[in-house]
Amino acid sequence: MLLKKLKQKSPLIYFICSRIVTMVFLLFFLGFALFGLMELAPGDIVDQMMTQQIMASAEGGPKAGSLAQGQENIFDDAQLAKTREELGLDKPFYVQYFRWLKRVIVDHDLGVSLISRAPVSFLLGSRLMNTLILNLISLVFITLFSFILGVYFSSKAGTRLDVGATFFALFFHAFPGILLLILLQLFASITGLFPVTAYPDFPYSEAPLKFTFSYMHHIFLPLFCSFLGGVGGTMRTIRATMLDQMGMPYIFALRARGISEKRVFLNHAFRNTINPYITGSANLLASLFGGSLILEIIFAYPGVGRLTYEAVLQQDINLVLANSMFLSALVLAGMLISDILLAFVDPRIRYGAEK
């Protein structure tokens, strides 16, 4: 009864609440699936720790031989089992997951990294801002240039310029992003015009102004790659929407009333290109966050994607789960925001309203 009244009085609020509930269930099943997939991986973090200690002792100098011969005594089954029990790895994966979930919900604690023993919240917070800044800058540039180029080339439809722009848009949209990143890094290495890493080698607190300019110089090539990969598809969507709108009956009616072509083009047809972009922006944001994983690995950028990759290699389940869940929550929140914006931009959309 209460939900029905809320749906009648505030359809948008009801829609937001229902989407949030859906997001919670999606995150729950995502975390469950991640735990299950990590369980299927060969070995566990105890094996990783054992391997690291063996390698460290093997590189320790003259005593390496005797240490290597005594590893079987050091890492016996009883000690390994005790270590797994201390870390909670002796339980089935679903028991581990519900323990982690209880700790997060009740104690608001993401746990500690099983490798570094540092709090997961600290590791995530130290990398999160870098990833957000990189992807938000990419989103702003892709949005700005997609609208400018999409609107401009829609006015040049059928010309050689439009055909050439469409060809290059399709080419870079289909070009493998990982290959483009490697080629750009080779370009930076050969020419020396740009750094081969995407982050300055000194902290922001040391020299804020110098760090800002150095940061812009370091991330230029990764941003350029992200821009080329994202602007092609978005520009083509806006161009196609503009051409579709220019053939609508209301456009002929506006022209018949003597309204200038510039006003028809920008004030009326252009406004109707916003809806498809808002709908596709959530997918664009998801692709940016997904692509930043490869970008951060190749250009050694200290972001959440690279942190997640290192955690997966080390099978640090607490770190993997926290990073993956947080990025997934950001993508789901972006989709929710795009749906809400549609209701404000287009008065015809009424979420949850009775028909």
Side-chain angles (χ1 to χ4, degrees):
M1 184 64 69
L2 181 62
L3 292 176
K4 188 175 181 179
K5 288 183 179 179
L6 180 62
K7 186 176 181 179
Q8 292 175 349
K9 292 183 178 180
S10 302
L12 183 58
I13 295 178
Y14 174 82
F15 169 77
I16 294 173
C17 293
S18 62
R19 283 292 299 272
I20 291 176
V21 172
T22 305
M23 288 169 56
V24 170
F25 278 101
L26 285 174
L27 291 174
F28 171 80
F29 288 111
L30 173 65
F32 189 84
L34 284 174
F35 252 95
L37 290 174
M38 291 293 289
E39 182 73 13
L40 293 175
D44 56 24
I45 195 168
V46 177
D47 296 328
Q48 295 284 340
M49 295 166 63
M50 181 182 67
T51 303
Q52 290 179 5
Q53 291 186 34
I54 292 175
M55 293 177 63
S57 61
E59 298 173 357
K63 297 182 179 180
S66 60
L67 287 173
Q69 292 175 1
Q71 289 303 328
E72 293 183 357
N73 297 327
I74 296 176
F75 300 106
D76 55 8
D77 293 338
Q79 184 177 357
L80 295 178
K82 183 180 179 181
T83 304
R84 288 189 175 91
E85 183 179 357
E86 291 174 354
L87 296 176
L89 300 177
D90 58 326
K91 304 294 183 182
F93 78 93
Y94 52 86
V95 176
Q96 298 179 43
Y97 176 61
F98 282 106
R99 283 182 176 179
W100 180 87
L101 205 60
K102 179 182 177 182
R103 186 173 64 242
V104 171
I105 297 174
V106 177
D107 301 329
H108 306 289
D109 181 19
L110 295 176
V112 297
S113 169
L114 301 180
I115 290 291
S116 65
R117 310 306 296 175
V120 171
S121 57
F122 170 77
L123 295 174
L124 182 61
S126 63
R127 301 287 190 95
L128 177 62
M129 189 54 65
N130 293 337
T131 297
L132 286 177
I133 290 175
L134 182 67
N135 287 286
L136 288 178
I137 292 176
S138 299
L139 184 63
V140 169
F141 275 99
I142 290 173
T143 300
L144 180 63
F145 281 93
S146 293
F147 273 103
I148 293 175
L149 296 176
V151 172
Y152 175 75
F153 287 120
S154 66
S155 65
K156 305 292 183 180
T159 62
R160 292 183 179 179
L161 183 63
D162 176 58
V163 173
T166 302
F167 170 79
F168 282 106
L170 285 171
F171 176 80
F172 285 112
H173 184 64
F175 199 86
I178 184 172
L179 179 58
L180 183 58
L181 284 169
I182 293 174
L183 291 176
L184 288 176
Q185 192 177 55
L186 287 175
F187 169 79
S189 177
I190 294 172
T191 62
L193 297 176
F194 297 95
V196 294
T197 59
Y199 202 80
D201 56 357
F202 61 95
Y204 175 82
S205 57
E206 182 178 311
L209 186 60
K210 182 181 177 181
F211 178 89
T212 302
F213 285 102
S214 179
Y215 180 79
M216 294 169 60
H217 186 215
H218 278 74
I219 67 169
F220 178 81
L221 288 182
L223 278 180
F224 184 64
C225 178
S226 179
F227 171 79
L228 290 179
V231 74
T234 310
M235 184 201 77
R236 291 180 62 248
T237 300
I238 294 173
R239 173 185 173 277
T241 307
M242 282 291 295
L243 292 176
D244 181 65
Q245 291 298 316
M246 293 303 292
M248 290 290 180
Y250 77 93
I251 295 294
F252 294 105
L254 291 171
R255 287 170 172 167
R257 292 171 56 187
I259 296 177
S260 65
E261 192 69 17
K262 182 179 179 181
R263 285 189 60 189
V264 169
F265 204 76
L266 297 178
N267 292 6
H268 297 276
F270 174 72
R271 290 184 62 183
N272 290 322
T273 64
I274 298 177
N275 284 22
Y277 171 75
I278 292 177
T279 303
S281 61
N283 295 327
L284 176 61
L285 185 64
S287 64
L288 287 175
F289 276 109
S292 66
L293 170 65
I294 306 299
L295 185 151
E296 291 173 9
I297 294 171
I298 293 178
F299 276 89
Y301 186 81
V304 175
R306 187 182 175 196
L307 182 66
T308 304
Y309 170 74
E310 294 170 352
V312 170
L313 291 181
Q314 297 173 340
Q315 295 184 330
D316 194 339
I317 186 62
N318 287 346
L319 200 52
V320 171
L321 194 63
N323 292 344
S324 302
M325 296 278 277
F326 197 84
L327 289 179
S328 300
L330 284 178
V331 172
L332 291 173
M335 293 181 177
L336 176 60
I337 292 173
S338 67
D339 289 338
I340 295 172
L341 287 176
L342 280 177
F344 285 100
V345 171
D346 194 339
R348 297 171 297 178
I349 299 176
R350 288 293 179 266
Y351 292 114
E354 297 291 341
K355 295 182 180 181

